[in-house]
Amino acid sequence: QVQLVESGGGSVQAGGSLRLSCAASARSFGSLVLAWFRQAPGKEREFVSFISISSGTTYYAESVKDRFTISRGNAKNTVDLQMNSLKPEDTAVYYCAAGPMYSYSPEHYRNWGQGTQVTVSA
């Protein structure tokens, strides 16, 4: 079982930056794919980015490419999401997820954090 805890959400003006962190408690951390999804009110949960811990492979949704960066955190068993040039449409609850393979679909991730709110004002 993998437990995930997100932190770092908050409110920021458009053009600002936030850094989210996901801490994972898992013996198998090195074999996981960690992903970020987000869900805005009234909308479906959408893929943001993933990173393969073993290979370092990353991938981004087109809507966040060149603005967001996913990486291993400095703390043990953490993954960060650096979000720059934030837009009001980035406002959502951001969730960390863990699974055994690359996927853009939330259905393929077995473990989820509780989510952290990101609000971007115009």
Side-chain angles (χ1 to χ4, degrees):
Q1 184 70 8
V2 178
Q3 292 185 327
L4 304 171
V5 179
E6 303 98 334
S7 61
S11 297
V12 66
Q13 290 188 329
S17 299
L18 283 173
R19 189 176 186 89
L20 305 183
S21 185
C22 175
S25 60
R27 292 183 179 179
S28 58
F29 182 77
S31 64
L32 293 174
V33 172
L34 275 290
W36 289 94
F37 288 80
R38 66 186 182 185
Q39 189 166 18
K43 295 188 177 181
E44 293 186 352
R45 192 166 296 191
E46 67 170 348
F47 169 76
V48 174
S49 180
F50 69 61
I51 182 169
S52 167
I53 299 303
S54 60
S55 69
T57 300
T58 60
Y59 195 81
Y60 301 90
E62 282 300 317
S63 59
V64 305
K65 197 174 181 180
D66 298 328
R67 298 189 298 122
F68 290 11
T69 302
I70 192 169
S71 64
R72 293 280 299 270
N74 291 327
K76 183 180 179 180
N77 290 7
T78 61
V79 168
D80 293 342
L81 184 69
Q82 177 66 40
M83 306 186 295
N84 298 328
S85 302
L86 283 162
K87 305 175 181 179
E89 51 263 44
D90 294 318
T91 295
V93 176
Y94 283 69
Y95 296 91
C96 179
M101 58 184 290
Y102 303 161
S103 178
Y104 316 128
S105 171
E107 297 176 350
H108 295 149
Y109 290 88
R110 302 171 181 172
N111 304 101
W112 293 83
Q114 81 287 353
T116 185
Q117 177 70 45
V118 171
T119 302
V120 185
S121 58

